[in-house]
């Protein structure tokens, strides 16, 4: 699991669409989809259910998203604190 993957999950959840998130992240949709699938496989959970109308956050995914946001917030705090020294 990488910080980048966590950021990807957060962006997909924010946009409720993998293709919209990919555009905002300036990466290809297949790359974003693969990164999320790899993370789901690594953790053994399903974060997003894919439907013909887009994505839906699963209950497990919702819990994961809460932790992911905390990790990214802490990472940003560390970076901001120590990048100016």
């Amino acid at each position: 699991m990488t910080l980048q993957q966590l950021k990807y999950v957060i962006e997909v959840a924010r946009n409720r669409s993998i293709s919209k998130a990919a555009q905002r992240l300036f990466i290809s949709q297949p790359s974003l989809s693969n990164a999320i699938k790899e993370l789901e496989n690594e953790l053994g959970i399903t974060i997003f259910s894919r439907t013909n109308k887009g994505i839906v956050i699963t209950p497990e995914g919702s819990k994961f998203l809460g932790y992911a946001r905390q990790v990214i917030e802490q990472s940003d705090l560390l970076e901001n604190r120590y990048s100016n020294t």
Side-chain angles (χ1 to χ4, degrees):
M1 176 182 347
T2 66
L3 290 176
Q4 191 66 51
Q5 287 172 313
L6 298 181
K7 290 176 183 179
Y8 287 172
V9 168
I10 292 167
E11 193 63 31
V12 170
R14 182 179 295 131
N15 288 279
R16 303 261 184 218
S17 163
I18 291 176
S19 59
K20 287 180 187 173
Q23 288 175 342
R24 292 182 53 85
L25 292 164
F26 302 104
I27 62 172
S28 71
Q29 184 272 329
S31 294
L32 178 56
S33 235
N34 287 338
I36 291 172
K37 267 291 189 204
E38 287 174 11
L39 179 62
E40 289 175 325
N41 290 337
E42 179 184 337
L43 299 175
I45 64 170
T46 301
I47 300 169
F48 301 110
S49 291
R50 289 131 178 100
T51 69
N52 58 353
K53 294 183 180 181
I55 59 109
V56 176
I57 302 169
T58 65
E60 273 183 322
S62 185
K63 289 178 192 174
F64 178 82
L65 194 56
Y67 290 118
R69 286 184 175 126
Q70 289 176 25
V71 169
I72 294 303
E73 283 178 24
Q74 293 300 310
S75 171
D76 289 346
L77 286 171
L78 278 169
E79 190 172 315
N80 289 335
R81 170 65 176 94
Y82 292 105
S83 64
N84 295 329
T85 57

